[in-house]
Amino acid sequence: MHTNVAEFLEDISGFLGSYYLTLGIMNALAALYLWKQRGKGALALLWLVVGMVYVILSPLAMSGSAAAVPQLPEGLRNFIDANTGPVIYSVGTTAILVILYLFRAFFVRPVVAWSILNLSLLYMGLSMADPEFAAIVTKPDNVPIVALVFLLGFFTWLATSKAVENDRRAEEGLPPQEKEDNEKVLVWPDLVYTELICMLALTAILLLWGIGLKAPLEEPASSVKTPNPSKAPWYFLGLQEMLVYFDPWYAGVVLPSLIVVGLMAVPYIDFNRKGNGYYTISERPFSYLMFQFGFLELWITLIILGTFLRGPNWNFFGPYEIWDTHKVLALNNVDLSQYFWEGLLGRGMPKASPGAPTFTALGYILLRELPGILVLGMYFLLLPPLMATTIFRGFFVKMGFVRYMVLANLLLFMASLPIKMVLRWSFNLKYIVSVPEYFLNF
Amino acid sequence: MDLGDTIRNSQIWKSIFRHPMPVDRRNRIVVMLTNFFLHLHPVSIKKQGIALSYTWCMGGVTFFLFLAETVTGVLLMFYYRPTLEWAYQDILALRDVTTLGILRELHRWGAHGMVITVWLHMYRVFLTGSYKPPREFNWVVGVILLLLTLLLSFTGYLLPWDQLAIWAITVGAGMARATPLLGYEGPGAQLLQLGGIPMITNASDARFGLLGARFVGEETLNRFYILHCIAIPLAVALLIAIHFWRVRKDGGISGPL
Ligand code: HEM
């Protein structure tokens, strides 16, 4: 960890300098590309100017002096740290996804997409001048996640712009773009050469990556020195983040199993025959939205949260905040049964007298947790038929009983996570059903 | 005759490649049919099926990374002993003294890369609706491959035997203790008793099965080493073969009907 900011800036100046230079070149190339097309001169000029700004930033960053290195104002960083938390983060990312979806026709326009890319890269650069931010992002095992975020952004843009185009064509009664390319070509040379070039490029990338970034190696394993925080490998951090809201049996065993089963079930529950073999959104909005929500929001953003924003004791830390082991957050979460018996009825929780036979004790536990059991029972047993006769009526008719039940239950399990999150944030609800006697908390 | 022609006309060359250079249409077809490595492919293909903007080449990249992992992994095995005494030392040596120490970087970044590209591949397959009939089963094979890719990465994570490694595995594998019925801290495990003696204890539950011990220790290292170097790669190789076979049998890369 860099305690001395001046030293830190010195260290990172080389990286930042070449980073901005690369961004400058990137924009210059875009300008060149547009210049060659007719009638895009104004845009070319725009990106040329942007590129030049980066080229000016580059030596400033290279200087490594606190006064010159471009960075976010301290006040803004403190504001971001003070005002972010799991709630803002999750609600915010969901809202962003919704906006991107609703106005997708606008966001896929190359000018807009390129501007967003530029802004996010600039934001990265400015943030990298912050020692805390840099310390986490440049941890060798975290670098791939940064790559993942940008790759996902790019491919989502690519897929969405193709889908938007195809949907527009469909409105005009034209077949999808993919259909235009129906001509057959020989695999040698067309595919074999592409593959060869890909392999060479990948080998080069892997070698450069290997030379540029050392694999991490910490102190030798010690079973007595527990690091704080102890984190699973990055691709499981979404699951670890779920542990905030659920017990391990559910977040660590049941939900992951259901993710695998649910993914396998996808082709068998998606009865919509349209949208096979081309990009489209409006011909399959339901499956599209469910997948995007599950993948981008419940998997990817949770991984990002778990990696970059969860520090010691799994507390939330803003992106520029020092990971202080002593940060204490008051936890006053309350079980539903407690809300019911003590809050609502104003009496003690039902409890078997000590030494009562197991059977009696069990009866009391059931009684105590009755409110939660009823809630869960309604959620998992009542909702599927209810939905079948209302919002999912069409689905139910087309899918038949078994398929529909599989779909409904998978959706309910998936929804249990965001629902529990919201309940926790708004009511400090700890468990809906809490039977610690049998490790059965939900 | 120049050297190239001499070589191409030699008996040795001709015994390996059973046709002239694929410069004309006929031989471009023959090469696809007679070369072992190329016969995975069809002879001709719809243009859109090989458009990078359609497939993103992500399945191919994942496969490439799997091969790269296999090669670098085998080479790393020459330098690494999976014992408490040596595991960390050997990795240290790879970092500080071994000439080909970069193998470790290639292997680690390739592994991270593979996790990323397999997700992107699934993302593309979903967004193009390519799991729809007749490709349902290949999607299922894919999901298993996805799971195995994560497990490969996970088992490999332990091998350097540093703090990062054992605690990540402790946290990850620790979940198994909460498996319903089968974990000693899982719901319902107390119910499994035989004549008053609990069947599921911390020395007989799911986590114990995974770790080979009550804690991440030498047994775990051995277990994960074998899973990582032999068992899972074999399973992945088999499934990839089925996966590719099915891509062909299901009518090639998907496209609009
Ligand atoms: C080790 C992992 C995997 C490897 C090496 C692999 C490789 C490939 C390759 C090379 C293709 C040809 C087309 C392309 O490149 O996109 C393909 C197609 C396909 N893959 Fe995978 N794949 C893997 C995992 C998966 C996963 C996780 C899924 C889905 C959950 C999946 C589902 C499919 C399907 C349905 C196709 C046919 C797509 C089409 O026809 O458009 N694969 N795979």
Side-chain angles (χ1 to χ4, degrees), chain B residues 59-60 121-122 124-125 130 135 139 142-143 146 243-244 253-254:
Chain B
H121 174 54
M122 178 185 75
R124 173 315 262 179
V125 171
S130 302
R135 297 185 180 77
W139 166 274
V143 175
L146 171 80
H243 196 59
F244 288 180
I253 303 296
S254 57

Side-chain angles (χ1 to χ4, degrees), chain A residues 263, chain B residues 54-64 66 114 118 121-122 124-125 128 130-131 135 138-146 149 236 240 243-244 247 252-255:
Chain A
L263 278 176
Chain B
Y54 182 73
T55 64
W56 313 347
C57 198
M58 274 306 150
V61 173
T62 311
F63 182 52
F64 169 82
F66 178 68
M114 196 173 156
V118 80
H121 174 54
M122 178 185 75
R124 173 315 262 179
V125 171
T128 55
S130 302
Y131 57 82
R135 297 185 180 77
N138 216 14
W139 166 274
V140 176
V141 174
V143 175
I144 304 174
L145 276 170
L146 171 80
T149 305
V236 170
I240 288 183
H243 196 59
F244 288 180
V247 171
I253 303 296
S254 57

Side-chain angles (χ1 to χ4, degrees), chain A residues 7-83:
Chain A
E7 218 172 82
F8 159 76
L9 284 177
E10 191 79 15
D11 280 353
I12 202 154
S13 61
F15 166 78
L16 278 181
S18 31
Y19 179 77
Y20 286 120
L21 197 61
T22 315
L23 297 192
I25 295 172
M26 191 183 92
N27 276 290
L29 288 178
L32 189 68
Y33 172 78
L34 290 171
W35 186 255
K36 288 196 163 167
Q37 294 176 331
R38 264 161 227 294
K40 297 267 177 77
L43 273 182
L45 200 64
L46 171 68
W47 299 127
L48 193 66
V49 171
V50 171
M52 266 149 55
V53 172
Y54 281 131
V55 172
I56 296 170
L57 290 183
S58 172
L60 291 180
M62 198 83 85
S63 75
S65 83
V69 175
Q71 47 187 315
L72 293 177
E74 174 111 42
L76 181 61
R77 277 180 277 163
N78 289 340
F79 177 81
I80 293 178
D81 282 346
N83 289 288

Side-chain angles (χ1 to χ4, degrees), chain B residues 98-144:
Chain B
T98 313
T99 315
L100 284 181
I102 195 175
L103 279 172
R104 178 168 177 241
E105 270 75 28
L106 297 182
H107 195 73
R108 194 177 187 96
W109 304 142
H112 284 330
M114 196 173 156
V115 170
I116 293 176
T117 57
V118 80
W119 288 355
L120 290 174
H121 174 54
M122 178 185 75
Y123 195 38
R124 173 315 262 179
V125 171
F126 187 89
L127 292 178
T128 55
S130 302
Y131 57 82
K132 299 188 178 196
R135 297 185 180 77
E136 307 103 304
F137 181 67
N138 216 14
W139 166 274
V140 176
V141 174
V143 175
I144 304 174

